[in-house]
Coordinates of all heavy atoms in Angstrom, one line a residue:
L19 N 12.8 25.7 -0.3 CA 13.4 26.6 0.6 C 14.7 26.2 1.1 O 15.6 27.0 1.3 CB 12.5 27.0 1.7 CG 11.2 27.9 1.4 CD1 10.3 27.9 2.6 CD2 11.7 29.3 1.1
T20 N 14.9 24.9 1.4 CA 16.0 24.4 2.1 C 17.1 23.7 1.3 O 18.2 23.5 1.8 CB 15.6 23.5 3.2 OG1 14.9 22.4 2.7 CG2 14.7 24.2 4.2
E21 N 16.8 23.3 0.0 CA 17.7 22.5 -0.7 C 19.1 23.2 -0.9 O 20.1 22.6 -0.8 CB 17.1 22.2 -2.1 CG 18.1 21.5 -3.1 CD 18.5 20.1 -2.6 OE1 17.9 19.5 -1.8 OE2 19.6 19.6 -3.2
F22 N 19.0 24.5 -1.2 CA 20.3 25.2 -1.5 C 20.9 25.9 -0.3 O 22.0 26.4 -0.4 CB 20.0 26.3 -2.6 CG 19.4 25.6 -3.9 CD1 18.1 25.9 -4.3 CD2 20.2 24.7 -4.6 CE1 17.6 25.3 -5.4 CE2 19.6 24.1 -5.7 CZ 18.3 24.4 -6.1
L23 N 20.1 26.0 0.8 CA 20.7 26.6 2.0 C 21.4 25.4 2.8 O 21.0 24.3 2.7 CB 19.6 27.1 2.9 CG 18.6 28.1 2.2 CD1 17.6 28.7 3.2 CD2 19.4 29.2 1.5
P24 N 22.5 25.8 3.5 CA 23.2 24.7 4.2 C 22.6 24.2 5.5 O 23.2 24.2 6.5 CB 24.6 25.4 4.5 CG 24.2 26.9 4.7 CD 23.1 27.1 3.7
I25 N 21.3 23.8 5.4 CA 20.6 23.4 6.6 C 19.9 22.1 6.4 O 19.1 21.6 7.3 CB 19.5 24.5 7.0 CG1 18.6 24.8 5.8 CG2 20.2 25.7 7.5 CD1 17.5 25.8 6.2
S26 N 20.1 21.4 5.2 CA 19.6 20.1 5.0 C 18.1 20.0 4.7 O 17.3 20.0 5.6 CB 19.9 19.1 6.1 OG 19.5 17.8 5.8
S27 N 17.8 19.9 3.4 CA 16.4 19.7 3.0 C 15.8 18.4 3.4 O 14.7 18.3 3.9 CB 16.2 19.9 1.5 OG 17.0 18.9 0.8
S28 N 16.6 17.3 3.3 CA 16.1 16.0 3.7 C 15.8 15.9 5.2 O 14.8 15.3 5.6 CB 17.1 14.9 3.3 OG 18.3 15.1 3.8
A29 N 16.6 16.6 6.0 CA 16.3 16.6 7.4 C 15.0 17.4 7.7 O 14.2 16.9 8.6 CB 17.5 17.3 8.2
H30 N 14.8 18.5 7.1 CA 13.6 19.2 7.3 C 12.3 18.4 6.9 O 11.3 18.5 7.6 CB 13.6 20.6 6.5 CG 14.4 21.6 7.3 ND1 15.8 21.6 7.3 CD2 14.0 22.7 8.0 CE1 16.2 22.6 8.0 NE2 15.2 23.3 8.4
I31 N 12.4 17.8 5.7 CA 11.3 17.0 5.3 C 11.0 15.8 6.3 O 9.8 15.6 6.7 CB 11.5 16.4 3.9 CG1 11.5 17.5 2.9 CG2 10.5 15.3 3.6 CD1 11.9 17.1 1.5
R32 N 12.0 15.2 6.8 CA 11.9 14.1 7.8 C 11.3 14.7 9.1 O 10.4 14.1 9.7 CB 13.3 13.5 8.0 CG 13.3 12.4 9.1 CD 12.6 11.1 8.6 NE 12.7 10.1 9.7 CZ 11.8 10.0 10.6 NH1 10.7 10.7 10.6 NH2 11.9 9.0 11.6
V33 N 11.8 15.8 9.6 CA 11.4 16.3 10.9 C 10.0 16.9 10.9 O 9.2 16.6 11.8 CB 12.4 17.4 11.4 CG1 11.9 18.1 12.6 CG2 13.8 16.8 11.6
V34 N 9.7 17.6 9.8 CA 8.4 18.2 9.8 C 7.3 17.1 9.6 O 6.2 17.2 10.2 CB 8.3 19.2 8.6 CG1 6.8 19.6 8.3 CG2 9.1 20.5 8.9

Side-chain angles (χ1 to χ4, degrees):
L19 285 171
T20 59
E21 172 67 18
F22 304 113
L23 308 184
I25 55 177
S26 181
S27 60
S28 56
H30 280 74
I31 289 174
R32 175 72 178 92
V33 171
V34 169

